[in-house]
């Protein structure tokens, strides 16, 4: 079960912590509203712990928090975890990189793209496939398994896939999708291994957008909706300039 911890609106200050069921885009959440205590609007340690324990008692394991939330250690003490956003990040990686490269001069199809990972996974294969369909030159840096993958991509899509690029070749790439760090990676990179990096702008259908609670961490909330099967491919676009 997924929960939300939100700062209470003034009209709900009658209770310091109010827990209720809520649906977002049709998905069920347990929501805990925590009322501010001090004039600066920051809640107390005690109230956050009370909210965290109340969510945990209702079967919540992962929780969406407000933007710029700075009290994760208090929720972790209640046995709650951050919503993982890696599955959503992996799905949008190719579009994300395209959005970052949108101001690059020349056709994007001619850009040299690096994909680097420490092991071959389904997410890596999907990302390489999407990039091979969009870009003529793709470099794949993997400890093992990249040779056969690159040969298959060449046969099926005719893309110039290079397995085991050198450090110099990696540094000359126009952009990269990094499942793991690489010192020679280009500046324009989607760093999937960085769990704290902000997601790119994601545009949703108006009906779904209107259902999102105001003030929630957008990346965590969209990650939760993706993990719950509510948000699906084709329902969102990365940025506003993806054509």
């Amino acid at each position: 079960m997924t929960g939300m911890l939100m700062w209470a609106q003034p009209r709900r200050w009658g209770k310091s912590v109010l827990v209720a069921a809520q649906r977002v885009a049709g998905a069920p959440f347990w929501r805990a509203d925590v009322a501010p205590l001090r004039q600066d609007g920051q809640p107390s340690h005690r109230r956050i712990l009370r909210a965290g324990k109340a969510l945990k008692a209702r079967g919540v394991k992962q929780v969406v928090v407000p933007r710029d939330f700075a009290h994760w250690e208090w929720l972790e003490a209640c046995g709650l975890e951050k919503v993982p956003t890696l599955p959503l990040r992996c799905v949008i990686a190719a579009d994300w990189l395209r959005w970052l490269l949108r101001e690059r001069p020349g056709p994007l199809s001619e850009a040299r793209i690096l994909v680097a990972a420490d092991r071959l996974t389904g997410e890596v294969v999907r990302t390489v496939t999407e990039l091979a369909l969009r870009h003529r030159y793709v470099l794949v840096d993997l400890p093992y398994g990249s040779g056969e993958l690159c040969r298959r991509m060449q046969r099926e899509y005719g893309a110039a896939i290079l397995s085991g690029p050198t450090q110099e070749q990696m540094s000359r790439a126009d952009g990269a999708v990094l499942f793991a760090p690489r010192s020679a990676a280009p500046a324009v990179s989607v760093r999937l291994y960085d769990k704290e990096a902000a997601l790119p702008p994601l545009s949703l259908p108006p009906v779904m957008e209107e259902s999102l609670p105001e003030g929630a961490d957008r990346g965590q909330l969209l990650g939760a909706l993706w993990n719950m099967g509510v948000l699906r491919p084709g329902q969102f676009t990365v940025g506003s300039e993806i054509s």
Side-chain angles (χ1 to χ4, degrees):
M1 189 66 178
T2 304
M4 288 188 292
L5 186 148
M6 303 294 294
W7 302 147
Q9 298 300 315
R11 61 183 175 83
R12 309 184 78 174
W13 287 3
K15 293 184 178 181
S16 60
V17 176
L18 179 63
V19 181
Q22 179 179 353
R23 285 190 171 271
V24 177
F29 288 81
W30 278 108
R31 171 169 171 164
D33 285 343
V34 180
L37 180 65
R38 303 193 302 263
Q39 289 185 350
D40 60 7
Q42 293 298 317
S44 70
H45 180 194
R46 181 179 301 175
R47 290 183 177 182
I48 290 182
L49 287 178
R50 189 188 309 167
K53 291 176 181 178
L55 291 173
K56 186 67 176 180
R58 288 164 172 79
V60 170
K61 296 181 179 179
Q62 300 168 348
V63 61
V64 177
V65 296
R67 289 189 297 267
D68 303 321
F69 185 74
H71 309 287
W72 263 111
E73 68 279 8
W74 298 349
L75 294 180
E76 290 171 351
C78 300
L80 298 175
E81 301 174 352
K82 293 182 180 181
V83 173
T85 60
L86 182 59
L88 178 58
R89 291 169 184 271
C90 290
V91 166
I92 67 173
D95 284 344
W96 190 349
L97 181 60
R98 184 184 177 188
W99 178 70
L100 292 175
L101 290 170
R102 65 194 183 281
E103 296 182 0
R104 174 188 176 274
L108 283 179
S109 60
E110 299 293 327
R112 287 177 169 80
I113 305 301
L114 167 68
V115 179
D118 288 342
R119 60 190 181 94
L120 184 62
T121 65
E123 290 82 4
V124 173
V125 173
R126 182 177 62 243
T127 300
V128 172
T129 302
E130 291 184 11
L131 292 171
L133 290 169
R134 302 178 182 190
H135 302 279
R136 182 173 298 178
Y137 308 104
V138 180
L139 294 70
V140 180
D141 183 46
L142 284 165
Y144 59 88
S146 61
E148 177 55 34
L149 173 62
C150 291
R151 288 189 290 271
R152 179 160 62 86
M153 294 294 106
Q154 289 172 335
R155 289 194 305 268
E156 295 181 4
Y157 305 114
I161 308 289
L162 175 63
S163 173
T166 64
Q167 295 283 304
E168 181 180 358
Q169 288 171 325
M170 287 193 287
S171 66
R172 292 170 57 189
D174 296 296
V177 174
L178 304 177
F179 290 83
R182 292 294 187 272
S183 59
V188 180
S189 295
V190 174
R191 295 172 173 82
L192 297 176
Y193 61 86
D194 185 355
K195 297 180 181 180
E196 302 302 324
L199 285 164
L202 291 175
S203 301
L204 303 178
V207 173
M208 183 173 288
E209 189 70 50
E210 291 171 2
S211 74
L212 302 185
E214 185 178 352
D217 183 293
R218 187 177 178 86
Q220 287 188 355
L221 183 57
L222 297 185
L225 293 176
W226 176 265
N227 297 340
M228 299 165 77
V230 176
L231 188 62
R232 296 183 295 273
Q235 290 184 309
F236 57 91
T237 56
V238 177
S240 58
E241 299 183 30
I242 295 293
S243 59

